[in-house]
């Protein structure tokens, strides 16, 4: 494989944010007398668009109320996320790719404010200036549209790219776009990621299997 581009999901991939999202949703949904656990979060929330989540879990809310709730939830998340650190091995991988002129981009379902905030907190805006938001594509993940948009914007084919994703919906999106996808099991059970189409699984970007593959 001639590697020309590396595509990264944001939440759970560039940084382990899911514990913070879980905590925030837990607090928000408690106001509606919904008391969620990790299993519910993984199944019904993780990796999905806020709009889809709210319509699914809180169908009684109007569109306007749903948008307002999503904004409150993300503002609360950003309060908690001030001290986020990049995933182990990420900086090394970004430097490795840059030294080989391999293009890099972030492909995310996160709202623009969150994406900009997280890249700033992680100190990655300069390293990862290309960000593809679901809101710019016809549909968000699990639809392949955001990944197809990323390939188009970088001017590379699916066969020349690799994607890193931590959620089943993200993996389904990347693989449906024809991209070789590696699962990061920061959030979900490895089996769920493999069932969704991940080629293999890493704990973080220091994984020896990853580096053997990159350097071959």
């Amino acid at each position: 494989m001639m590697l020309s581009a590396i595509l990264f999901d944001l939440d759970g991939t560039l940084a382990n944010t899911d514990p913070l999202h879980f905590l925030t949703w837990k607090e928000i949904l408690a106001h509606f007398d919904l008391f969620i656990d990790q299993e519910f979060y993984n199944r019904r929330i993780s990796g999905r668009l806020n709009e889809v989540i709210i319509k699914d879990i809180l169908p009684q809310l109007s569109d306007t109320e749903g948008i307002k709730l999503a904004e409150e939830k993300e503002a609360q998340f950003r309060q908690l996320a001030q001290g986020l650190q990049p995933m182990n091995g990420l900086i090394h991988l970004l430097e490795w790719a840059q030294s080989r002129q391999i293009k890099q981009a972030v492909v995310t379902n996160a709202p623009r404010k969150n994406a900009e905030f997280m890249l700033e907190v992680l100190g990655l805006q300069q390293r990862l200036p290309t960000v593809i938001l679901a809101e710019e594509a016809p549909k968000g993940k699990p639809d392949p549209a955001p990944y197809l948009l990323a390939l188009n914007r970088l001017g590379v084919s699916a066969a020349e790219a690799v994607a890193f994703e931590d959620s089943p919906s993200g993996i389904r999106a990347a693989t449906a776009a024809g991209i070789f996808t590696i699962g990061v099991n920061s959030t979900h059970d490895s089996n769920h990621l493999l069932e969704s189409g991940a080629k293999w699984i890493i704990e973080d970007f220091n994984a020896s299997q990853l580096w053997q593959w990159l350097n071959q």
Side-chain angles (χ1 to χ4, degrees):
M1 174 186 186
M2 176 63 197
L3 186 62
S4 301
I6 301 179
L7 305 173
F8 297 94
D9 172 48
L10 180 62
D11 282 294
T13 302
L14 294 186
N16 190 11
T17 51
D18 261 54
L20 302 181
H21 282 295
F22 171 57
L23 199 63
T24 313
W25 276 113
K26 201 174 173 175
E27 286 177 7
I28 292 266
L29 293 173
H31 298 308
F32 296 89
D33 292 329
L34 278 172
F35 302 98
I36 67 166
D37 58 10
Q38 190 69 49
E39 194 270 333
F40 180 98
Y41 173 83
N42 286 354
R43 195 163 39 87
R44 302 277 291 277
I45 296 177
S46 177
R48 299 173 85 194
L49 283 166
N50 280 342
E51 182 190 349
V52 176
I53 295 164
I54 290 168
K55 278 200 167 77
D56 175 29
I57 298 173
L58 300 167
Q60 70 273 29
L61 297 185
S62 70
D63 286 354
T64 314
E65 289 168 334
I67 290 165
K68 186 167 175 286
L69 185 71
E71 283 173 358
E72 285 169 13
K73 183 258 153 184
E74 296 309 347
Q76 206 167 316
F77 163 76
R78 290 192 293 272
Q79 284 295 312
L80 288 176
Q82 304 285 346
L84 274 180
Q85 295 294 316
M87 188 74 78
N88 287 340
L90 175 66
I91 303 299
H92 178 43
L93 175 58
L94 296 177
E95 287 171 349
W96 178 90
Q98 195 177 7
S99 71
R100 285 159 180 76
Q101 278 83 52
I102 293 169
K103 296 172 180 179
Q104 302 171 73
V106 177
V107 184
T108 179
N109 270 358
R112 183 182 300 276
K113 268 188 189 169
N114 274 28
E116 289 171 354
F117 166 82
M118 273 184 61
L119 290 170
E120 188 181 341
V121 165
L122 296 170
L124 296 175
Q125 304 115 306
Q126 263 59 55
R127 293 183 192 273
L128 291 167
T130 306
V131 181
I132 313 297
L133 301 166
E135 62 197 53
E136 300 172 306
K139 280 183 167 178
K141 305 174 195 177
D143 193 275
Y147 275 103
L148 295 171
L149 184 59
L151 294 173
N152 185 278
R153 200 169 285 180
L154 293 178
V156 298
S157 71
E160 301 170 284
V162 61
F164 291 96
E165 274 283 357
D166 74 302
S167 74
S169 88
I171 288 168
R172 285 198 291 274
T175 54
I179 300 167
F180 186 99
T181 307
I182 297 169
V184 182
N185 73 344
S186 61
T187 316
H188 291 264
D189 182 83
S190 295
N191 291 330
H192 291 165
L193 303 183
L194 291 167
E195 283 161 16
S196 301
K199 296 289 187 218
W200 30 274
I201 306 296
I202 58 172
E203 290 279 325
D204 59 35
F205 297 106
N206 286 329
S208 56
Q209 185 182 4
L210 172 63
W211 287 98
Q212 280 164 8
W213 181 75
L214 288 171
N215 289 315
Q216 70 191 9

